[in-house]
CSV table of all heavy atoms in Angstrom, one decimal:
chain,number,residue,atom,x,y,z
A,1380,VAL,N,-4.0,56.0,-53.7
A,1380,VAL,CA,-2.7,55.8,-52.9
A,1380,VAL,C,-1.5,55.7,-53.9
A,1380,VAL,O,-0.5,56.3,-53.6
A,1380,VAL,CB,-2.9,54.5,-52.1
A,1380,VAL,CG1,-1.5,54.2,-51.4
A,1380,VAL,CG2,-3.9,54.7,-51.0
A,1381,LEU,N,-1.7,54.9,-55.0
A,1381,LEU,CA,-0.6,54.8,-55.9
A,1381,LEU,C,-0.2,56.1,-56.6
A,1381,LEU,O,0.9,56.3,-56.9
A,1381,LEU,CB,-0.9,53.7,-56.9
A,1381,LEU,CG,-1.1,52.3,-56.3
A,1381,LEU,CD1,-1.4,51.3,-57.4
A,1381,LEU,CD2,0.2,51.8,-55.6
A,1382,THR,N,-1.2,56.9,-56.8
A,1382,THR,CA,-0.9,58.2,-57.5
A,1382,THR,C,0.0,59.0,-56.6
A,1382,THR,O,1.0,59.6,-57.0
A,1382,THR,CB,-2.2,58.9,-57.7
A,1382,THR,OG1,-3.0,58.2,-58.7
A,1382,THR,CG2,-2.0,60.3,-58.3
A,1383,VAL,N,-0.4,59.1,-55.3
A,1383,VAL,CA,0.4,59.9,-54.3
A,1383,VAL,C,1.8,59.3,-54.1
A,1383,VAL,O,2.8,60.0,-54.1
A,1383,VAL,CB,-0.4,60.0,-53.0
A,1383,VAL,CG1,0.5,60.7,-52.0
A,1383,VAL,CG2,-1.7,60.8,-53.2
A,1384,LYS,N,1.8,58.0,-53.9
A,1384,LYS,CA,3.1,57.3,-53.7
A,1384,LYS,C,4.0,57.4,-54.9
A,1384,LYS,O,5.3,57.5,-54.7
A,1384,LYS,CB,2.9,55.9,-53.2
A,1384,LYS,CG,2.2,55.8,-51.9
A,1384,LYS,CD,2.9,56.5,-50.8
A,1384,LYS,CE,2.2,56.4,-49.5
A,1384,LYS,NZ,2.8,57.3,-48.4
A,1385,ARG,N,3.5,57.3,-56.1
A,1385,ARG,CA,4.3,57.3,-57.2
A,1385,ARG,C,5.0,58.7,-57.4
A,1385,ARG,O,6.2,58.8,-57.8
A,1385,ARG,CB,3.5,57.0,-58.5
A,1385,ARG,CG,4.4,56.9,-59.7
A,1385,ARG,CD,3.6,56.9,-61.0
A,1385,ARG,NE,4.4,56.7,-62.1
A,1385,ARG,CZ,4.3,57.3,-63.3
A,1385,ARG,NH1,3.2,58.1,-63.5
A,1385,ARG,NH2,5.1,57.0,-64.3
A,1386,SER,N,4.3,59.7,-57.0
A,1386,SER,CA,4.9,61.1,-57.1
A,1386,SER,C,6.1,61.2,-56.1
A,1386,SER,O,7.1,61.7,-56.5
A,1386,SER,CB,3.8,62.1,-56.7
A,1386,SER,OG,4.4,63.4,-56.6
A,1387,VAL,N,5.9,60.6,-54.9
A,1387,VAL,CA,7.0,60.6,-54.0
A,1387,VAL,C,8.2,59.8,-54.5
A,1387,VAL,O,9.3,60.2,-54.3
A,1387,VAL,CB,6.5,60.1,-52.6
A,1387,VAL,CG1,7.7,60.0,-51.6
A,1387,VAL,CG2,5.4,60.9,-52.0
A,1388,MET,N,7.9,58.6,-55.1
A,1388,MET,CA,8.9,57.8,-55.6
A,1388,MET,C,9.7,58.4,-56.7
A,1388,MET,O,11.0,58.3,-56.8
A,1388,MET,CB,8.4,56.4,-56.1
A,1388,MET,CG,7.8,55.5,-55.0
A,1388,MET,SD,7.2,54.0,-55.6
A,1388,MET,CE,6.4,53.3,-54.2
A,1389,GLU,N,9.0,59.2,-57.5
A,1389,GLU,CA,9.7,59.9,-58.6
A,1389,GLU,C,10.7,60.9,-58.1
A,1389,GLU,O,11.8,61.0,-58.6
A,1389,GLU,CB,8.7,60.5,-59.5
A,1389,GLU,CG,8.0,59.5,-60.4
A,1389,GLU,CD,6.9,60.2,-61.3
A,1389,GLU,OE1,6.7,61.4,-61.1
A,1389,GLU,OE2,6.4,59.5,-62.2
A,1390,ARG,N,10.3,61.6,-57.0
A,1390,ARG,CA,11.2,62.6,-56.4
A,1390,ARG,C,12.4,61.9,-55.8
A,1390,ARG,O,13.5,62.5,-55.7
A,1390,ARG,CB,10.4,63.4,-55.4
A,1390,ARG,CG,9.4,64.4,-56.0
A,1390,ARG,CD,9.0,65.5,-55.0
A,1390,ARG,NE,8.5,64.9,-53.8
A,1390,ARG,CZ,7.2,64.7,-53.6
A,1390,ARG,NH1,6.3,64.9,-54.6
A,1390,ARG,NH2,6.8,64.2,-52.4
A,1391,CYS,N,12.2,60.7,-55.2
A,1391,CYS,CA,13.3,60.0,-54.6
A,1391,CYS,C,14.0,59.1,-55.5
A,1391,CYS,O,14.9,58.3,-55.1
A,1391,CYS,CB,12.7,59.1,-53.4
A,1391,CYS,SG,11.9,60.1,-52.1
A,1392,ARG,N,13.7,59.1,-56.8
A,1392,ARG,CA,14.3,58.3,-57.8
A,1392,ARG,C,14.2,56.8,-57.5
A,1392,ARG,O,15.2,56.1,-57.5
A,1392,ARG,CB,15.8,58.7,-58.0
A,1392,ARG,CG,15.9,60.2,-58.3
A,1392,ARG,CD,17.3,60.6,-58.9
A,1392,ARG,NE,17.5,62.0,-58.9
A,1392,ARG,CZ,16.9,62.8,-59.9
A,1392,ARG,NH1,16.1,62.3,-60.8
A,1392,ARG,NH2,17.1,64.1,-59.9
A,1393,ILE,N,13.0,56.4,-57.2
A,1393,ILE,CA,12.7,55.0,-56.9
A,1393,ILE,C,11.9,54.5,-58.0
A,1393,ILE,O,10.8,55.0,-58.3
A,1393,ILE,CB,12.0,54.8,-55.5
A,1393,ILE,CG1,12.9,55.3,-54.4
A,1393,ILE,CG2,11.7,53.3,-55.3
A,1393,ILE,CD1,12.2,55.3,-53.1
A,1394,ARG,N,12.3,53.4,-58.7
A,1394,ARG,CA,11.5,52.8,-59.7
A,1394,ARG,C,10.5,51.8,-59.1
A,1394,ARG,O,10.8,51.1,-58.1
A,1394,ARG,CB,12.4,52.0,-60.7
A,1394,ARG,CG,13.4,52.9,-61.4
A,1394,ARG,CD,14.3,52.0,-62.3
A,1394,ARG,NE,15.1,51.0,-61.5
A,1394,ARG,CZ,16.1,51.2,-60.8
A,1394,ARG,NH1,16.6,52.5,-60.7
A,1394,ARG,NH2,16.7,50.3,-60.2
A,1395,MET,N,9.3,51.8,-59.7
A,1395,MET,CA,8.2,50.9,-59.2
A,1395,MET,C,7.7,50.0,-60.4
A,1395,MET,O,7.3,50.6,-61.4
A,1395,MET,CB,7.1,51.7,-58.5
A,1395,MET,CG,6.0,50.7,-58.0
A,1395,MET,SD,4.9,51.6,-56.9
A,1395,MET,CE,4.0,52.6,-58.0
A,1396,LYS,N,7.7,48.7,-60.2
A,1396,LYS,CA,7.1,47.8,-61.1
A,1396,LYS,C,5.8,47.3,-60.5
A,1396,LYS,O,5.7,46.9,-59.4
A,1396,LYS,CB,8.1,46.6,-61.3
A,1396,LYS,CG,9.4,47.0,-62.0
A,1396,LYS,CD,10.2,45.7,-62.2
A,1396,LYS,CE,11.5,46.0,-62.9
A,1396,LYS,NZ,12.3,44.8,-63.2
A,1397,MET,N,4.8,47.4,-61.3
A,1397,MET,CA,3.4,47.0,-60.8
A,1397,MET,C,2.8,45.9,-61.7
A,1397,MET,O,3.0,45.9,-62.9
A,1397,MET,CB,2.5,48.2,-60.8
A,1397,MET,CG,2.9,49.3,-59.8
A,1397,MET,SD,1.7,50.6,-59.6
A,1397,MET,CE,1.5,51.1,-61.4
A,1398,ASP,N,2.1,45.1,-61.0
A,1398,ASP,CA,1.3,44.0,-61.7
A,1398,ASP,C,0.0,43.9,-60.9
A,1398,ASP,O,-0.1,43.2,-59.9
A,1398,ASP,CB,2.0,42.7,-61.7
A,1398,ASP,CG,1.2,41.6,-62.4
A,1398,ASP,OD1,0.1,42.0,-63.0
A,1398,ASP,OD2,1.6,40.5,-62.4
Side-chain angles (χ1 to χ4, degrees):
V1380 175
L1381 294 181
T1382 297
V1383 174
K1384 294 303 177 185
R1385 189 192 181 216
S1386 175
V1387 177
M1388 290 183 193
E1389 287 179 348
R1390 291 197 301 270
C1391 297
R1392 306 195 188 284
I1393 301 174
R1394 298 177 301 280
M1395 182 168 67
K1396 295 181 179 179
M1397 294 191 303
D1398 181 9

